[in-house]
């Protein structure tokens, strides 16, 4: 991708952010996913409209892009997003196997307007016993059996 194309796709992501703000559906965030010079996914924050804390621009763009190409992997894709992805979106981008992410605003700028996810970065880096969200294992032979059955399948599709 060349710099001019990168600028054009970033402008689309920023436009998605502006639309989210103008339509009052969520925070001022937008994203587009591009493969071979074509937009295959678009998303804008819809947390408020959908009552869904996962309805971030990047996640919605990933969902649309995957439907568009019929695959859960987005290898060969670039993501343009109006702001540095939060930890949830960053993890989703890794799971989607995108090639690169370009962002406009940095997370400190998002924090300055009330979208501070630094605490979440710190929580994820902390030992599981030191996190504010209580987590404990409840082992189950049945749960392990489901894993074993999946692993034994010859037709399984690895992530």
């Amino acid at each position: 991708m060349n710099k001019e194309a990168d600028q054009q796709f970033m402008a689309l992501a920023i436009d998605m952010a502006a639309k989210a703000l103008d339509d009052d559906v969520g925070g001022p965030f937008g994203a587009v996913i591009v493969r071979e010079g074509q937009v295959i996914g678009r998303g804008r924050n819809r947390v408020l409209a959908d009552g869904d804390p996962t309805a971030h621009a990047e996640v919605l763009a990933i969902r649309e892009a995957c439907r568009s190409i019929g695959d859960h992997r987005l290898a060969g894709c670039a993501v343009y997003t109006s702001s540095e992805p939060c930890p949830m979106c960053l993890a989703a981008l890794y799971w989607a196997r995108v090639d690169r992410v370009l962002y406009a605003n940095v997370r400190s700028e998002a924090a300055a307007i009330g979208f501070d996810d630094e605490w979440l970065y710190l929580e994820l880096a902390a030992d599981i016993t030191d996190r504010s969200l209580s987590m404990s294992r409840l082992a189950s032979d049945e749960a392990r059996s489901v894993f074993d059955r999946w692993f034994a399948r010859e037709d399984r599709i690895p992530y």
Side-chain angles (χ1 to χ4, degrees):
M1 204 58 62
N2 64 46
K3 188 172 182 165
E4 184 178 317
D6 284 342
Q7 298 268 351
Q8 290 173 346
F9 290 125
M10 182 59 75
L12 290 174
I14 294 167
D15 185 56
M16 295 298 293
K19 286 180 180 168
L21 180 62
D22 293 343
D23 294 345
D24 206 21
V25 297
F29 303 99
V32 296
I33 299 179
V34 176
R35 184 183 208 184
E36 298 174 357
Q38 300 296 313
V39 175
I40 61 168
R42 298 172 191 260
R44 58 186 176 148
N45 187 290
R46 292 189 49 86
V47 169
L48 300 177
D50 295 351
D52 178 355
T54 69
H56 288 200
E58 296 89 343
V59 171
L60 297 179
I62 288 168
R63 291 173 183 166
E64 183 175 287
C66 288
R67 281 191 304 270
S68 171
I69 65 169
D71 196 345
H72 65 281
R73 295 163 296 206
L74 296 174
C77 293
V79 178
Y80 298 82
T81 180
S82 63
S83 187
E84 185 176 355
C86 75
M88 176 186 68
C89 293
L90 184 58
L93 292 164
Y94 272 102
W95 276 113
R97 308 292 197 261
V98 300
D99 287 7
R100 65 188 188 127
V101 177
L102 296 92
Y103 57 91
N105 296 313
V106 295
R107 67 189 197 209
S108 61
E109 292 171 310
I113 63 164
F115 295 93
D116 188 1
D117 52 17
E118 188 62 30
W119 67 273
L120 189 48
Y121 283 98
L122 295 172
E123 281 281 309
L124 294 174
D127 186 84
I128 197 167
T129 59
D130 295 329
R131 295 180 184 162
S132 62
L133 178 61
S134 174
M135 294 179 67
S136 56
R137 182 173 186 205
L138 185 56
S140 166
D141 291 339
E142 292 83 3
R144 182 63 220 189
S145 174
V146 173
F147 270 18
D148 293 342
R149 283 181 34 222
W150 181 86
F151 189 70
R153 288 180 63 169
E154 290 184 23
D155 65 340
R156 75 178 180 276
I157 299 172
Y159 291 34

